[in-house]
Amino acid sequence: MFVIKCPYCGERDQTEFSCHGEAHIARPENPETLTDEEWGEYLFIRSNKKGIHYERWTHDHGCRRWFNVMRDTVSDEILATYKMGEEKPKS
Amino acid sequence: MSNQNRIYKGGRIDRDLAINFKFNGKEYIGYQGDTLASALLANDVHLIGRSFKYHRPRGILTSGSEEPNALVQLGLGARTEPNMRATEIEIYEGLEASSQNCWPSVNFDIGSINNFLSRVFPAGFYYKTFMWPPSLWLFYEHFIRKAAGLGVAPTVKNPDRYEQKFHYCDILVVGGGASGLMSALAAGRSGCDVLLIDEKPEPGGYLRNTSAKIDNLNSNDWTNEILKELESYDNVTILNRTAVMGYYDYNYLTALQKVTNHLPYLSDKMPRERYWRIRAKKVILAQGAFERPLVFSGNDRPGIMLASAARTYLNQFGVLPGKSVILFTNNDHAYGTAIDFANKGAKVTIVDNREDIPSELSDRCNKVKIKIYPSHSIINTHGYQKIKKVEIQKVDQDNNELTGSLREIECDLVLMSGGWNPSVQLFSQSRGKLEYHSKLNSFIPKDLIKNQKVVGCNNGNFNLLEVLKNSYQAGLDFATELGKSANKSLEIETAFEDLEFTEAKVEPYMIGKKKVTHGSKHFVDFQHDVTAADIFLAQREGYISVEHTKRYTTTGMGTDQGKTSNVNALALMSHIHNKPVDNIGHTTFRPPYSPQTIGAIAGRNVDHLFDPERKTAIHQWHVDNGAEFEDVGQWKRPHYFPQKNENIHDAVNRECRAVRNSLGILDASTLGKIDLQGPDVAKFLNLIYTNAWSKLEVGSCRYGLMCNEHGMVFDDGVTTRISENRYHMTTTTGGAARVMSWLEEFLQTEWLDMEVFCTSVTEQWTVLSISGPNSREFLSSLADVDISKEAFPFMKMKEGKVCGIDARIFRISFTGELSFEINVPSRYGLFVWNEFMKHGKKYDITPYGTESMHVLRAEKGFIIVGQDTDGSVTPKDINMDWIVSKKKEDFLGKRSFSRSDTRRIDRKQLVGLLVNDKKTVLPEGSYVVDEAKPRPPMDMIGHVSSSYYSPTCDHPIALSLIKNGLNRMGDVVKIPLMSGKVIDATITDSIFYDKEGARNNE
C-alpha cells in the first residue's frame, strides 16, 4: 500500500486516495470535428506503460483535490506528485 | 503412565505447574510452557490426525508454524477453531482439542480406504472426474466437501472481541531469533523506535534449543541477557505470539497478535487477537529458515519428524519423543540432534545418504555409540499408527540405484533433515527477487527493495558468529540512515555453533522398492497428500510450468502454504526435466504468511459497524410507525408502511391509491443534493447535462440527464436556479457521490478557468415530497406563499415559510400527480413531518415508501437510472431524445451519439410490456425472446428492467429494454421463466397512466 504525497495535504496513506488512470489526456476542444477514430482514441486508447507512467489521482478522503502522479509501474515507486495544470516532471 | 517421555530436567517448561488438558476426550497432563504438541509427545501420543486426501495417520512433523500434519480442532462451541497447529498451541488448564478429518475416530477412520484406492485418486483427480458434466457438480460437491476438508467451522457467532492497531515505527524487525535480536539491539541502542515481532511466546528462536555457546555463555542464558537489555529500552517494543502476515508496498506490513488465546480464561478487558497494521521506515527480515524434509517412501508416518523439531522438543520442552531413534540426513548439521539424543540416553542410528562423512563427525558419533550407515537411504517404513521399523539400503551414488543388501531396523522415532530453506515468504511478498543458492540448494533473497534488509539464516547465512555480527551491523546501518547512532558496538568475541549448516543437496532421494513415478507414497506435500508420483504425473500430463504443477497437484496449497514442501517439489521438477532449479522458478508467495482469523481482519467493523448506516431526520418516526426498511446504498429507506395484517402488496396498493386519490407523503431526503455557485454555473451545466441551461430563470427547475463521454446515461435529476449565481442540483440517491466527483473532475482537470463551486448538501436538507390531488389544498394552509395553480406552475420553485420554517418549495413530480417537494433544514425536518401528519389527517395523509414510489413512477414511465439503464443505454435508447439538445455545440457524451454503434437502429430501447394473461408480474431481469425454446440457449432480444402490479391500472406493468423495441409496438414477445413456463407479452408505450400529463397540472 503506497504512501502518496498529496500536493495540498502532504504524505497520506493510499486508502485516502483513488486512481483515475492516465494523465495528460486533454479532452478535445471540438469533439464534433473529430473522426470516429480520433474520438475513439481519446475515449479508449491508453499507453499502458511499463515503467514511468503519469496518472491522475484524487485525495477522496482528504482535500478532494485532483492531482497528477508520476509512478514507475514496475517498482510502484512514486517519483513525483504535482498539481493539475503543472508541467509533468521529466522522467 | 503420564509424561513417560519427559526427561527430568532441562528446557523452558515449569515442572511445578502441571496443566490438565484433553485430547480426543482423554485427559492428559502437561506443564506450563508446553505446546499441545510437546505435551502430547511427552505422553507418547504421536497420532494426531488424518491426512487430507488419503486419511493416512499423521503425527507431528515440526515444532512451529510451518506444521503441515498436526492440525487439530481447538476449543468447543462458538469458540472452536479448525486447523490449529498443535505445534503452536500453548496449553492451558482445561484446553480441549481433537483430531480432525477422521470418522468415527482417529484410530479407526473410514476415509482411510482412500489410501488403498490411491491409484484412482491421482493428482488432478477432482478436475478429471467431477467437473463434467457441469450440471452434476452440485451433486458431487456435496460429497466431496464432506469427505475432504479439514476441521469444521463454528456454527454460531464468535463472541470474542478483536482489535486493530495502526503502528508507525523507525525499524521493524521480523523475527526474534539470533539475527533479529541483534538487529533490534543495535537499533534500540541507537535510540530508534523499534518494533520486534516474534511468533513464539518468547523470543530466542533457534538459540533456545541448540547447544551453541556465545562468549562462554550457553545460548539460552545469553539470549536472556540480550532480552533484558532490549526490554529496558523505552524505544523498543517486543511483540510475542505475533506473526507478520503480509508485506505490502512501501513497508506496510500486517501482523496478527494472539493476545489471550493462550489463557484458560477470556478477559473482558482484553481482545482475543489484535491485528496490527504497521508502516515502518525500515524493515529487517530475520525470520530464519525451515528445515527441509526428505522425500522417501512412507516418510509421513507418525513418529517421523524433522531433526530440528525433535531437538526442540528435547532441549526446550524436556521431551524425548523416542528412545530408539534413526536419523536420516544429508548434512552435518543434523548430527547435532543425533548427538543430543544419544547424550540423553536414546539409541541412535544415522542413515546418511552421503558417501563421505567427515571423520570428525564419525569420531564424535563413535564416542556416543551412534552407528552410521553412509551411502544409505531409508527405502521403506513400517508401522500404521506409529513408526515401528525402517528398511534401509545402500544407494549407488552414480546412477541412483539400490545396491547391497536390504537391512531392517526397528525404531520408535525417525528424524529427517534434508537441509534448510531460508524463510523467504515475506521477502518475496514484498516483491524481493529470489535466487537459487547452489550449495544450500534453496532460494535466498537477491534484490532487496528499498528500506529493507534481510539478515541471518533468512539471508542464507548459517554461521552463528557472522550472523550475530552482520545482523547487528544491519541495525546500525539503518539507524545511521535515520540519523541515529549507537554508543556501543557489539562485544561478542566468540560464538560457537556445534555443527554449522553449510550445504545440502536436494537430489532425488525418492528411491524405493516401488518405482517412484507411479503410485508410491513418497510424500512431498504432507498436508495435501501430494506424492512424488503426483509431481511426475503432472509433468507427464503437460503441467510443466511451476504454477500449473502447483495447481494441478495442489502441492503447496494447504494451510501451511508449502513451507516444508515447496523446495522439494521444485527439486523434483528440476530432476524430471533435467534443468537447474533456477530455470524451474518458484511459485508466487502471497499473504497471509500463515492462517489468520477473519475476526481479526474485521476487528470492530462488524454488525452495524460493518458499513456506515445513513438515516434521515425522519428515521425514528419511520421506525415508530412500523416501516419496513430497504437499503439504498448506505441509506436506510422505508420500503413500505404495513398496517396491521398487511403484506407488502396490500400496503403498496393502499399507498399508491392514496397518492392517486388524495394525498401521500414520501421522505425523499436521501436524494443527492449539490449546491452549485459561481458565475459560470449555467455554462458548466450546459456541458454536464444533455439539454440547454442558459435560459433557465431564477426560480425555475429543469430536469436533466447526465451522460458520460461514451454517451451513456449515468444520472438524472432536477436542477433549480435559486438565484443569479446559485443552483441546486439533485441527483439519484445512489449516484450522489458519483455525480459530485464527476463535477469536480471536470472543474479540476478540464475547465480550470470556470468559476463554479460545488458543495454536497444532501444531509443539510430534509425533503418531504407530498403528492396527490389534495396536495395543493393541503399545503396552502401551511405555507405562507401563494401556491395557487396560477401563481405556482409546474417546474417552479418558491422560497417561503412552511409550518413557520424557512423552506424551499419545488413544484415537481415523480408520481405524475400534483406534487410539491418541500425542503427544510434537516434540524426542522421531523418537526415539519409531524406537522404534516397532524394537519394531513383531514386528507388521510398516507406515508409511502420506496416500493410505492417505484410503482407510481413506473405507471408514468419515468425511468430509474441504474434500474432501467445499465451504463450501456443512451438517451435515445430510453426514448428521451427530446432532452438532448441539437443546438449546443458540445456537452459531455455528445460526440459519442454519432459513433457507429450508438447510431445503430436495432439497439435495445425502453418500451412498455403488458402480459397477455393480465395477471403475471414478470420477474425483473427476465430475458425477453422472440422464440422460446425448451431450454437455453435462446436468442435474447432484451430484458425486463422494471415490473410491478399496478393498482391504478389494475394489471401488471413492466418496462423493458428490447432490441428495436420502439419500432415494434404491438408485437408479442415471449418471456421464459425459471419455472419453464413461457409468458406472452405485448410491446407497448412505456407510459401506462395519464399519458397527457393532465393530473400533474391540476
Side-chain angles (χ1 to χ4, degrees):
Chain A
M1 197 163 58
F2 307 164
V3 174
I4 299 169
K5 189 178 173 189
C6 166
Y8 302 92
C9 306
E11 286 193 345
R12 296 287 191 279
D13 223 276
Q14 188 186 338
T15 48
E16 295 186 13
F17 300 85
S18 47
C19 181
H20 301 272
E22 189 166 355
H24 301 292
I25 298 175
R27 184 169 190 269
E29 296 254 337
N30 299 299
E32 291 303 292
T33 64
L34 301 185
T35 63
D36 275 5
E37 199 174 330
E38 286 165 335
W39 181 245
E41 184 90 13
Y42 159 67
L43 283 185
F44 304 113
I45 306 302
R46 298 295 180 266
S47 62
N48 196 23
K49 279 267 176 63
K50 180 179 181 183
I52 303 295
H53 187 242
Y54 299 89
E55 57 201 12
R56 306 189 304 167
W57 285 74
T58 50
H59 194 187
D60 301 319
H61 305 287
C63 63
R64 294 193 60 84
R65 300 293 288 267
W66 288 68
F67 59 93
N68 288 328
V69 167
M70 174 183 169
R71 178 174 64 99
D72 185 332
T73 58
V74 179
S75 66
D76 266 340
E77 190 176 349
I78 291 174
L79 303 160
T81 59
Y82 53 103
K83 293 176 182 173
M84 281 293 161
E86 288 180 358
E87 206 148 300
K88 64 178 178 189
K90 295 253 156 33
S91 50
Chain B
M1 199 169 105
S2 167
N3 278 271
Q4 59 269 55
N5 288 346
R6 192 79 70 172
I7 52 176
Y8 69 96
K9 67 168 192 179
R12 307 280 298 161
I13 50 161
D14 185 346
R15 288 177 178 74
D16 295 331
L17 272 175
I19 289 173
N20 299 289
F21 68 98
K22 272 189 193 171
F23 182 66
N24 285 334
K26 202 174 159 194
E27 291 195 13
Y28 296 96
I29 290 172
Y31 296 115
Q32 182 69 38
D34 261 330
T35 63
L36 181 59
S38 69
L40 288 172
L41 287 174
N43 287 286
D44 207 36
V45 177
H46 283 266
L47 175 60
I48 307 297
R50 292 274 176 165
S51 70
F52 182 70
K53 196 158 112 186
Y54 301 132
H55 292 250
R56 282 169 72 96
R58 288 284 162 83
I60 295 160
L61 181 72
T62 73
S63 59
S65 62
E66 72 272 33
E67 177 63 37
N69 280 342
L71 306 183
V72 299
Q73 185 87 29
L74 179 64
L76 304 168
R79 290 201 164 91
T80 188
E81 272 191 276
N83 312 333
M84 299 300 288
R85 293 161 296 283
T87 49
E88 283 198 297
I89 300 164
E90 293 170 62
I91 57 163
Y92 49 81
E93 188 64 34
L95 176 148
E96 289 193 42
S98 55
S99 300
Q100 42 186 46
N101 206 27
C102 53
W103 184 84
S105 82
V106 70
N107 293 312
F108 176 73
D109 173 22
I110 294 248
S112 62
I113 189 84
N114 289 0
N115 187 31
F116 303 102
L117 297 175
S118 64
R119 290 301 288 268
V120 300
F121 284 115
F125 164 73
Y126 293 141
Y127 299 115
K128 286 172 182 160
T129 314
F130 291 122
M131 291 311 281
W132 197 258
S135 59
L136 279 179
W137 169 247
L138 290 174
F139 171 76
Y140 294 138
E141 193 190 16
H142 175 72
F143 293 98
I144 291 173
R145 294 260 179 254
K146 210 171 159 183
L150 299 163
V152 293
T155 52
V156 287
K157 202 179 138 165
N158 184 281
D160 299 321
R161 212 177 75 206
Y162 299 83
E163 295 286 358
Q164 301 213 338
K165 186 175 163 64
F166 288 87
H167 188 85
Y168 297 82
C169 61
D170 290 336
I171 299 181
L172 167 67
V173 180
V174 184
S179 53
L181 285 173
M182 282 297 99
S183 294
L185 187 67
R189 284 177 176 177
S190 310
C192 293
D193 187 5
V194 179
L195 181 66
L196 172 65
I197 291 184
D198 191 70
E199 268 189 313
K200 299 275 162 93
E202 60 175 4
Y206 180 67
L207 297 175
R208 296 289 186 195
N209 55 45
T210 176
S211 48
K213 281 213 169 6
I214 302 169
D215 279 347
N216 296 321
L217 277 177
N218 79 44
S219 59
N220 215 354
D221 295 341
W222 182 85
T223 305
N224 289 340
E225 293 293 314
I226 299 292
L227 267 180
K228 213 185 283 173
E229 182 179 341
L230 279 174
E231 279 160 4
S232 73
Y233 295 129
D234 289 340
N235 54 319
V236 176
T237 307
I238 302 174
L239 291 181
N240 298 333
R241 303 186 174 92
T242 307
V244 174
M245 294 297 186
Y247 190 158
Y248 307 87
D249 291 310
Y250 290 61
N251 276 348
Y252 175 75
L253 297 93
T254 56
L256 184 72
Q257 180 188 15
K258 301 200 165 178
V259 184
T260 53
N261 291 39
H262 61 292
L263 300 176
Y265 54 88
L266 284 150
S267 155
D268 289 345
K269 296 193 178 64
M270 302 275 272
R272 179 171 180 166
E273 292 174 353
R274 187 177 288 124
Y275 191 61
W276 290 65
R277 299 165 182 275
I278 303 156
R279 183 79 74 173
K281 287 184 189 147
K282 313 277 181 188
V283 172
I284 298 177
L285 294 175
Q287 294 177 278
F290 293 119
E291 195 165 25
R292 200 154 62 207
L294 291 170
V295 181
F296 56 93
S297 179
N299 58 343
D300 66 324
R301 298 189 191 283
I304 303 182
M305 66 173 72
L306 291 172
S308 61
R311 198 178 200 187
T312 301
Y313 291 119
L314 182 63
N315 294 334
Q316 197 173 326
F317 298 99
V319 175
L320 191 68
K323 291 175 185 66
S324 197
V325 184
I326 290 168
L327 169 70
F328 183 21
T329 186
N330 64 356
N331 64 79
D332 295 354
H333 179 259
Y335 279 65
T337 302
I339 292 164
D340 280 0
F341 267 75
N343 283 333
K344 290 288 188 294
K347 176 176 180 288
V348 183
T349 310
I350 294 179
V351 179
D352 194 325
N353 70 356
R354 295 174 299 176
E355 202 166 348
D356 302 312
I357 316 291
S359 55
E360 183 220 334
L361 277 184
S362 38
D363 290 350
R364 289 181 58 187
C365 287
N366 272 339
K367 273 186 208 154
V368 285
K369 299 202 173 79
I370 295 175
K371 170 136 183 72
I372 306 175
Y373 290 95
S375 283
H376 273 68
S377 278
I378 295 182
I379 56 162
N380 203 9
T381 64
H382 298 274
Y384 187 59
Q385 295 189 357
K386 193 185 162 192
I387 187 79
K388 278 186 185 144
K389 190 168 71 177
V390 299
E391 295 173 43
I392 69 169
Q393 201 166 353
K394 195 163 186 181
V395 181
D396 182 329
Q397 300 285 326
D398 294 330
N399 50 18
N400 199 32
E401 273 178 11
L402 298 175
T403 59
S405 56
L406 188 96
R407 195 184 295 270
E408 292 189 347
I409 308 175
E410 304 226 327
C411 60
D412 59 2
L413 184 69
V414 171
L415 310 179
M416 57 180 164
S417 172
W420 290 80
N421 299 324
S423 173
V424 292
Q425 285 82 354
L426 282 182
F427 172 77
S428 179
Q429 276 185 33
S430 78
R431 302 187 188 206
K433 293 273 174 297
L434 303 174
E435 68 178 335
Y436 195 71
H437 190 292
S438 55
K439 275 182 100 180
L440 301 176
N441 276 297
S442 190
F443 285 96
I444 63 165
K446 188 182 170 205
D447 301 322
L448 301 181
I449 61 158
K450 267 190 168 180
N451 296 315
Q452 175 195 63
K453 287 185 196 292
V454 187
V455 295
C457 312
N458 206 351
N459 206 20
N461 189 344
F462 290 82
N463 178 289
L464 185 58
L465 188 60
E466 280 176 31
V467 162
L468 296 174
K469 288 192 163 165
N470 294 349
S471 306
Y472 191 84
Q473 191 58 42
L476 283 186
D477 290 349
F478 266 165
T480 310
E481 284 179 32
L482 292 167
K484 313 238 165 111
S485 60
N487 52 8
K488 261 170 125 180
S489 56
L490 189 65
E491 310 85 353
I492 297 172
E493 307 239 311
T494 60
F496 175 67
E497 165 74 81
D498 193 4
L499 288 160
E500 186 187 326
F501 175 62
T502 50
E503 60 181 313
K505 291 182 175 181
V506 267
E507 301 302 327
Y509 312 114
M510 57 294 160
I511 199 155
K513 284 202 288 196
K514 215 169 176 182
K515 210 172 168 216
V516 67
T517 52
H518 291 81
S520 73
K521 291 288 190 317
H522 295 60
F523 284 94
V524 176
D525 186 299
F526 294 99
Q527 189 171 113
H528 269 184
D529 275 347
V530 180
T531 62
D534 289 328
I535 308 270
F536 274 95
L537 179 71
Q539 311 313 306
R540 283 201 301 275
E541 298 194 344
Y543 296 90
I544 54 176
S545 135
V546 57
E547 297 286 359
H548 289 157
T549 299
K550 168 180 166 176
R551 281 155 186 83
Y552 196 59
T553 62
T554 73
T555 188
M557 286 173 70
T559 62
D560 60 332
Q561 288 288 288
K563 292 192 183 75
T564 53
S565 62
N566 282 343
V567 174
N568 281 336
L570 296 175
L572 259 167
M573 289 177 68
S574 152
H575 165 77
I576 295 165
H577 297 295
N578 198 19
K579 281 202 295 197
V581 182
D582 298 54
N583 296 2
I584 299 290
H586 58 85
T587 54
T588 312
F589 297 101
R590 295 190 183 85
Y593 172 76
S594 45
Q596 68 181 66
T597 55
I598 300 289
I601 299 172
R604 291 282 189 109
N605 302 326
V606 291
D607 300 329
H608 69 289
L609 297 177
F610 177 66
D611 195 32
E613 287 177 1
R614 300 176 80 186
K615 294 166 182 168
T616 74
I618 323 295
H619 186 80
Q620 193 54 45
W621 190 95
H622 301 322
V623 174
D624 295 342
N625 286 273
E628 291 290 336
F629 287 89
E630 80 165 336
D631 291 337
V632 183
Q634 291 170 330
W635 285 104
K636 296 279 168 200
R637 297 197 72 178
H639 192 198
Y640 57 100
F641 291 87
Q643 291 182 352
K644 275 176 225 148
N645 299 319
E646 281 183 340
N647 61 23
I648 180 168
H649 302 293
D650 303 334
V652 167
N653 291 347
R654 174 180 50 74
E655 290 170 15
C656 288
R657 277 189 212 106
V659 172
R660 295 274 180 238
N661 298 328
S662 178
L663 181 61
I665 181 167
L666 173 80
D667 177 5
S669 308
T670 62
L671 216 62
K673 296 176 274 296
I674 299 169
D675 180 74
L676 299 166
Q677 297 191 52
D680 295 320
V681 177
K683 198 172 139 195
F684 179 58
L685 293 176
N686 267 334
L687 286 163
I688 289 290
Y689 282 124
T690 60
N691 48 351
W693 291 79
S694 313
K695 289 181 183 150
L696 188 72
E697 291 164 4
V698 171
S700 286
C701 319
R702 186 162 290 170
Y703 173 78
L705 270 188
M706 279 181 202
C707 292
N708 58 22
E709 284 282 49
H710 305 287
M712 303 302 160
V713 174
F714 98 103
D715 210 84
D716 69 343
V718 171
T719 293
T720 305
R721 191 169 191 177
I722 304 290
S723 63
E724 180 63 23
N725 288 336
R726 183 172 204 176
Y727 291 71
H728 178 83
M729 176 186 279
T730 64
T731 73
T732 57
T733 294
R738 194 163 53 229
V739 171
M740 182 74 182
S741 301
W742 181 244
L743 303 182
E744 288 290 356
E745 174 176 351
F746 283 91
L747 287 171
Q748 290 188 35
T749 69
E750 288 292 343
W751 306 316
L752 277 74
D753 51 339
M754 274 198 196
E755 278 195 64
V756 178
F757 299 92
C758 308
T759 311
S760 164
V761 292
T762 301
E763 297 186 349
Q764 276 64 28
W765 295 99
T766 286
V767 180
L768 309 182
S769 177
I770 55 169
S771 195
N774 286 323
S775 56
R776 176 173 283 129
E777 190 182 312
F778 163 73
L779 186 62
S780 61
S781 65
L782 300 172
D784 72 348
V785 286
D786 183 0
I787 61 161
S788 66
K789 187 174 177 179
E790 298 69 32
F792 197 12
F794 186 50
M795 294 310 266
K796 292 289 175 190
M797 184 280 303
K798 283 192 175 204
E799 289 177 300
K801 284 196 189 316
V802 174
C803 302
I805 305 297
D806 285 331
R808 288 175 182 167
I809 309 169
F810 298 82
R811 236 314 257 128
I812 53 181
S813 174
F814 194 42
T815 61
E817 294 298 320
L818 177 67
S819 301
F820 298 86
E821 284 191 3
I822 296 104
N823 287 26
V824 294
S826 284
R827 60 189 177 280
Y828 298 116
L830 186 58
F831 168 75
V832 177
W833 176 280
N834 280 324
E835 288 295 297
F836 276 21
M837 295 312 292
K838 194 164 75 190
H839 295 286
K841 276 198 184 119
K842 188 170 146 194
Y843 307 100
D844 194 21
I845 191 168
T846 303
Y848 65 97
T850 49
E851 188 63 21
S852 295
M853 179 188 82
H854 277 121
V855 175
L856 292 162
R857 65 88 203 178
E859 289 175 342
K860 286 291 297 171
F862 295 149
I863 58 153
I864 296 228
V865 172
Q867 177 166 346
D868 302 301
T869 71
D870 61 2
S872 69
V873 173
T874 66
K876 199 172 180 178
D877 296 340
I878 48 175
N879 205 14
M880 284 175 78
D881 214 21
W882 53 269
I883 204 172
V884 178
S885 165
K886 307 291 177 289
K887 290 185 193 146
K888 287 199 291 182
E889 268 182 28
D890 190 16
F891 58 83
L892 298 182
K894 179 177 163 79
R895 176 62 185 83
S896 287
F897 295 152
S898 54
R899 282 175 50 216
S900 56
D901 184 58
T902 41
R903 274 203 317 262
R904 267 191 306 122
I905 52 158
D906 63 340
R907 289 176 63 82
K908 286 183 189 167
Q909 294 152 349
L910 189 74
V911 291
L913 269 190
L914 290 175
V915 287
N916 292 1
D917 68 8
K918 301 244 181 235
K919 56 176 205 264
T920 307
V921 178
L922 298 168
E924 285 173 356
S926 298
Y927 283 9
V928 180
V929 298
D930 271 325
E931 189 197 343
K933 295 178 183 165
R935 67 179 66 84
M938 287 176 252
D939 287 334
M940 174 197 177
I941 57 166
H943 71 276
V944 175
S945 60
S946 292
S947 175
Y948 314 92
Y949 169 76
S950 161
T952 313
C953 307
D954 195 22
H955 58 71
I957 56 169
L959 297 174
S960 177
L961 283 156
I962 293 182
K963 263 184 200 166
N964 196 26
L966 291 170
N967 295 315
R968 296 191 58 185
M969 292 297 148
D971 284 6
V972 174
V973 291
K974 311 216 175 267
I975 295 99
L977 303 184
M978 287 292 274
S979 63
K981 210 171 153 189
V982 177
I983 305 293
D984 286 351
T986 305
I987 299 177
T988 68
D989 186 75
S990 56
I991 306 174
F992 302 99
Y993 180 64
D994 185 28
K995 280 196 176 38
E996 314 71 42
R999 301 185 63 84
N1000 179 36
N1001 290 317
E1002 277 303 303

